[in-house]
Each structure stands twice: as structure tokens, then as C-alpha cells.
Amino acid sequence: MRPDEDFETLATYPDPPVEELALALAAELREPDRDATLGQLDELGEQLMELVDAGGGPEMEAWACGELLGGRHGLAGDRDDYDNPDNSMLDLVLERRRGLPIALSVVYVAAARRAGIPLAGVGLPGHFVVAHFGASPPLVLDPFGGGTRVEVQAAPRLVRPWSPHETALRMLNNLIAAYTKRARIGDAIVAARLRLALPLPEAERERVAQELVSLEARLN
């Protein structure tokens, strides 16, 4: 990835690295230190490789992700100021070790990929987790809860890998709600416009386009 590729460019790629998409998203609203953030993820990936025994299998790899990221580095959910927009900014999440479930999941997925571990984000109703898809059934971890293992009993069919585009859309949805709640309508509009850069089904595109029109009307 070139360092100057913006969100709209990355959104055209079929499978961009989710952390690149998250950083490009943040850069549309503020100025994250992209190189420092990617460097931190590289370091986490190296530490994860050191922690995983060769041939340890999915159980060992899933344990290592939770132990390193949730345990040793203390990454967990921000329960005190949950919907603060900072909790959706990948660089700030790494700096503060706190964030929304989906942003924490991006950290897990990015670090795991660097260590060769098949972890992916999983969107559930009202929550976002990660799962190791090298096991059957997948091994689910809750980054918001510090990387603990969880069982998804109600609807195991929902445990499927989410694409980077789906993840970015949900991150933008969260930001629009957070900015609107704080009367930061200009920032909400920026986030709403970014959604239209993503590959969306036609019905979904019409819905988000109408929401953008409604937000823009609030500035008039």
C-alpha cells in the first residue's frame, strides 16, 4: 500500500488490509500518525509470533492472541465513555489501549495476520468480536472483554468472516451516530460521505445517500 492512498482509493480494492482502511478513514477526520501505528502493529505481530509455539494449532494461536493483546498489552473496551469518537480511531485505540469492540478487533486481526494466524472480525447484533477460522467451529474471542473466549450459542451461523468493507461501514455508522449525538454535524457528514465510497448493495446505497441528504439539511 502506498502511504498516500486515501479512503476512497482503498475502498475500490477488493480486499484491502482492514487496518489500512481504518487508518485512511481516520485520516479523513483528523491526522493520525500512519507510520507509527503500522509500526506498532508490526511489533505486535512479531510478539505474537514469538508467543505461539510452532505447530500449536488453533487453540494455542487463539490463546496467544488474547494473552498478548488483552492480557499483556491490556487492550480492552472503553466502558466509561463508550461512544466517544476516539474509540473508533485506530491510532488512538492503540495509544490508549481502549476502544470500541470493532476498532479493537481491527487491532487483533492486523496483528494476527502479521503472525500468520487466520483471525477475522465477526459482526454480531450489538457486538463485534474476532474468530479463529482455522478451527471448526471457529474459536471466538471478545477483544472488548480483554480477549476472553466466548461461545456464540444463539446464532452460530452469524459467525462468519467480515470483509474490510463491511467493517469500515460499521465503523462509519458508529462515527456518524457519535458525531450526531455531540452536534458535530460537519464531521458526521464527512463520515456519511465516506460510506458512499464503499461497495454497497443498491438498496443500502440509497439508504445511506438519503441519510447524507438529511444530515446536510441540518447545516442549512
Side-chain angles (χ1 to χ4, degrees), residues 137-155:
L139 305 175
V140 181
L141 303 175
D142 181 11
F144 191 83
T148 55
R149 282 275 296 275
V150 295
E151 299 292 333
V152 182
Q153 300 284 0

Side-chain angles (χ1 to χ4, degrees), residues 16-23 90 105-106 109-110 113 163-164 167-168 171:
V18 69
E19 71 275 17
E20 293 273 3
L21 205 53
L23 278 170
L90 184 60
S105 294
V106 170
V109 170
R113 190 180 67 251
S163 74
T167 302
M171 293 181 79

Side-chain angles (χ1 to χ4, degrees), residues 69-129:
L69 300 172
R72 300 184 186 182
H73 286 281
L75 284 157
D78 186 346
R79 300 179 186 277
D80 297 325
D81 195 14
Y82 183 85
D83 67 348
N84 189 319
D86 288 354
N87 287 330
S88 293
M89 301 294 167
L90 184 60
D91 59 315
L92 297 180
V93 170
L94 276 168
E95 177 185 318
R96 299 166 55 242
R97 299 291 193 263
R98 292 292 179 269
L100 285 181
I102 193 167
L104 293 165
S105 294
V106 170
V107 175
Y108 273 65
V109 170
R113 190 180 67 251
R114 285 160 168 78
I117 298 173
L119 213 68
V122 176
L124 301 174
H127 200 31
F128 204 95
V129 295

Side-chain angles (χ1 to χ4, degrees), residues 35-214:
D35 291 339
T37 302
L38 294 177
Q40 290 178 69
L41 292 172
D42 290 343
E43 175 62 25
L44 290 174
E46 291 175 8
Q47 293 176 20
L48 198 49
M49 280 191 285
E50 293 173 0
L51 187 59
V52 176
D53 290 336
E59 286 282 350
M60 166 63 76
E61 291 175 346
W63 169 84
C65 289
E67 169 64 18
L68 178 73
L69 300 172
R72 300 184 186 182
H73 286 281
L75 284 157
D78 186 346
R79 300 179 186 277
D80 297 325
D81 195 14
Y82 183 85
D83 67 348
N84 189 319
D86 288 354
N87 287 330
S88 293
M89 301 294 167
L90 184 60
D91 59 315
L92 297 180
V93 170
L94 276 168
E95 177 185 318
R96 299 166 55 242
R97 299 291 193 263
R98 292 292 179 269
L100 285 181
I102 193 167
L104 293 165
S105 294
V106 170
V107 175
Y108 273 65
V109 170
R113 190 180 67 251
R114 285 160 168 78
I117 298 173
L119 213 68
V122 176
L124 301 174
H127 200 31
F128 204 95
V129 295
V130 295
H132 189 305
F133 285 91
S136 182
L139 305 175
V140 181
L141 303 175
D142 181 11
F144 191 83
T148 55
R149 282 275 296 275
V150 295
E151 299 292 333
V152 182
Q153 300 284 0
R157 62 181 176 78
L158 295 177
V159 181
R160 64 165 182 83
W162 271 41
S163 74
H165 297 121
E166 289 176 298
T167 302
L169 177 62
R170 189 148 163 175
M171 293 181 79
L172 288 167
N173 290 342
N174 290 337
L175 280 169
I176 292 166
Y179 286 137
T180 302
K181 176 181 176 181
R182 289 162 175 78
R184 293 171 58 177
I185 303 303
D187 288 332
I189 287 171
V190 171
R193 287 174 178 161
L194 291 178
R195 292 192 301 187
L196 291 170
L198 294 166
L200 302 174
E202 191 57 35
E204 180 75 356
R205 180 170 297 279
E206 291 178 4
R207 184 186 68 79
V208 299
Q210 185 55 51
E211 287 184 2
L212 174 58
V213 170
S214 298

